[in-house]
Amino acid sequence: MTTTTRAHPGPTDPTGETMDGPTTTAQAPPAPDAERLRRWRMVLGADAAESTGHTLTGRDAAMDAALNALYGGGAGKKPGDRGSGGRSAGLGASAPSVARWLGDIRTYFPASVVQVMQRDAIDRLGLAALLLEPEMLEAVEPDVHLVGTLLSLHKAMPDTTRETARAVVRKVVEDLEKRWESRTRTTLSGALDRSARTSRPSHRDIDWDRTVRANLKNYLTLPGRDGAPARGTVVPERLVGHGRAARSVRKDVVLCVDQSGSMAASVVYASVFGAVLASLRTLSTRLVVFDTAVVDLTDQLDDPVDLLFGARLGGGTDINRALAYCQSRITRPADTVVVLISDLHEGGIRGEMLKRVAAMKASGVQFVTLLALSDEGAPAYDHEHAAALGALGAPAFACTPDLFPDVMAAAIEKRPLPVPDKEPPP
């Protein structure tokens, strides 16, 4: 069997088409070496064009240009600056040019990658100020991190931008509520029912596991009949059952949230979860945010967007002062869960902070410390303070939004918290 081939094959482009030389009768796939060079060229950027000998075309060239604008060697320059040669970076100094770039990356990359690139553009190229322009906000892919940036800028926003910013924040909040509301309500409603035990349950409300364990002392061995072996049984002198759902408030929940700049994502998630918790009639939910001042936002829990715009990201941290306020609002310690969400970089009085936590736990309060409420990975936090809280029986750990309903359910039922595997020491 014979095939038509080139006597002197020329170089190929990324699609495998010959750039010169005789035409073959069948299209051959790109050579492994050519595909490898293409991938290295895409990974290494424009600086690798000469060393790889590979020229990008079409979609590859467009993707490379979008990446180079953000991650090029001149990324430290002000947007729009160009070097004297070689690799440069920048998105231009106007919102329209940034909006075009945002459109490009949404064309070439999935939403998860777009969100990372947007965050990097804000951090690396100093584009936060452009978020004050409506056309810029209309072009971005809304996510939790963008909301955090908008909240830190909202006091500087002109009136023409404020409503657009609220629309962006509302879209993210509504998406988060749809994602977490059903599971949170189901998990916590079950926990609330189990936390209200009754000793005279109806048959369908009997908690058989707890009933058996409560009556193990009443274990009897009964002789078998007609030569059958003896068998044991538990006599249930005391029945333990799940309480029926009631209209009265069973638990008080206090969310005490650090609103320093590093906690932006946690503030967003805590606000959404706070609104969900407040919608449960058997919970009384209070939301307190703090930096060096303390603000009670409980009256805004019915609208998470208004609540978020009531927070003010940035500033210092005074955990002791915030806990003092929360402690003063506790009226039923044995039925109260306090959730402190903070990286524990305390600017107040450390000894007093720990004393307050110890006093609350001694009074019967369930105290939970979350180093972060986000999906951003391992957080930076004060390890010394975390260890001190752990020694008081209030282990500090990072919590993802997925895990939060289970953490709250465990706290409500007064059982061990589902603490993730411990992180390695720094």
Side-chain angles (χ1 to χ4, degrees):
M1 179 177 179
T2 60
T3 58
T4 302
T5 60
R6 296 193 209 100
H8 302 285
T12 58
D13 69 9
T15 66
E17 295 181 352
T18 303
M19 295 162 64
D20 54 32
T23 303
T24 59
T25 57
Q27 178 75 35
D33 286 345
E35 176 62 15
R36 188 177 298 111
L37 289 174
R38 169 186 171 272
R39 289 174 178 272
W40 275 113
R41 168 62 182 82
M42 290 295 291
V43 169
L44 297 176
D47 288 343
E50 184 175 346
S51 61
T52 61
H54 189 88
T55 302
L56 298 177
T57 60
R59 185 180 180 89
D60 284 349
M63 292 174 66
D64 184 65
L67 289 167
N68 192 53
L70 177 56
Y71 300 111
K77 303 174 185 177
K78 293 180 179 179
D81 285 356
R82 293 288 177 179
S84 57
R87 198 172 182 185
S88 62
L91 303 179
S94 67
S97 64
V98 177
R100 285 193 296 271
W101 178 79
L102 288 167
D104 287 344
I105 64 175
R106 292 170 76 173
T107 299
Y108 300 123
F109 303 101
S112 58
V113 176
V114 169
Q115 292 170 3
V116 172
M117 293 180 73
Q118 286 179 172
R119 189 162 73 250
D120 286 349
I122 292 169
D123 294 340
R124 294 166 64 93
L125 300 179
L127 299 182
L130 290 181
L131 292 176
L132 303 181
E133 302 188 28
E135 59 266 36
M136 172 70 169
L137 285 176
E138 291 170 358
V140 294
E141 183 77 23
D143 72 340
V144 170
H145 307 289
L146 177 63
V147 169
T149 301
L150 291 177
L151 296 180
S152 67
L153 295 172
H154 83 274
K155 291 188 181 298
M157 286 181 183
D159 293 339
T160 55
T161 305
R162 198 174 300 275
E163 287 306 311
T164 305
R166 289 182 68 88
V168 170
V169 173
R170 186 168 296 281
K171 181 179 186 304
V172 173
V173 166
E174 289 176 351
D175 288 346
L176 291 176
E177 284 185 312
K178 289 177 184 177
R179 183 178 177 186
W180 303 117
E181 182 174 16
S182 177
R183 178 163 177 253
T184 302
R185 292 179 67 89
T186 300
T187 302
L188 295 189
S189 295
L192 285 163
D193 284 347
R194 287 190 294 273
S195 68
R197 301 290 172 182
T198 176
S199 59
R200 300 180 62 185
S202 63
H203 185 271
R204 66 178 179 177
D205 291 331
I206 295 174
D207 184 336
W208 288 108
D209 180 63
R210 287 180 177 254
T211 295
V212 170
R213 280 187 284 155
N215 290 278
L216 286 176
K217 62 182 180 180
N218 301 320
Y219 182 85
L220 298 177
T221 300
L222 303 177
R225 293 182 179 179
D226 300 326
R231 56 187 182 135
T233 186
V234 173
V235 178
E237 285 186 354
R238 183 169 68 89
L239 298 177
V240 180
H242 305 299
R244 292 291 187 90
R247 292 180 178 271
S248 60
V249 172
R250 294 206 186 116
K251 295 288 181 180
D252 297 334
V253 173
V254 181
L255 300 179
C256 185
V257 187
D258 185 342
Q259 63 176 354
S260 58
S262 60
M263 301 295 293
S266 297
V267 172
V268 176
Y269 281 119
S271 299
V272 172
F273 277 117
V276 174
L277 297 180
S279 69
L280 296 173
R281 290 182 300 176
T282 49
L283 283 181
S284 173
T285 304
R286 182 179 296 275
L287 179 66
V288 176
V289 298
F290 68 93
D291 41 34
T292 53
V294 180
V295 181
D296 193 326
L297 298 176
T298 303
D299 60 349
Q300 297 180 40
L301 278 171
D302 59 332
D303 189 340
V305 176
D306 284 343
L307 189 154
L308 283 169
F309 277 97
R312 52 178 190 182
L313 295 178
T317 308
D318 192 338
I319 303 173
N320 176 56
R321 185 174 184 178
L323 291 181
Y325 176 84
C326 295
Q327 188 177 24
S328 71
R329 296 299 185 271
I330 295 174
T331 58
R332 304 189 304 154
D335 294 314
T336 299
V337 178
V338 174
V339 183
L340 171 64
I341 304 175
S342 173
D343 55 15
L344 301 180
H345 289 293
E346 171 67 313
I349 306 173
R350 175 181 183 271
E352 290 298 315
M353 175 190 77
L354 296 176
K355 286 181 181 178
R356 289 192 189 282
V357 175
M360 281 189 274
K361 286 189 62 63
S363 69
V365 171
Q366 295 296 107
F367 196 92
V368 180
T369 308
L370 302 182
L371 301 170
L373 177 56
S374 73
D375 49 11
E376 295 179 306
Y381 62 95
D382 189 304
H383 291 259
E384 184 180 352
H385 288 162
L389 287 171
L392 293 175
F397 57 97
C399 179
T400 63
D402 270 328
L403 184 61
F404 185 75
D406 296 324
V407 169
M408 291 302 302
I412 286 171
E413 294 182 57
K414 298 185 178 182
R415 54 183 171 83
L417 301 176
V419 179
D421 292 337
K422 292 184 178 179
E423 302 167 9

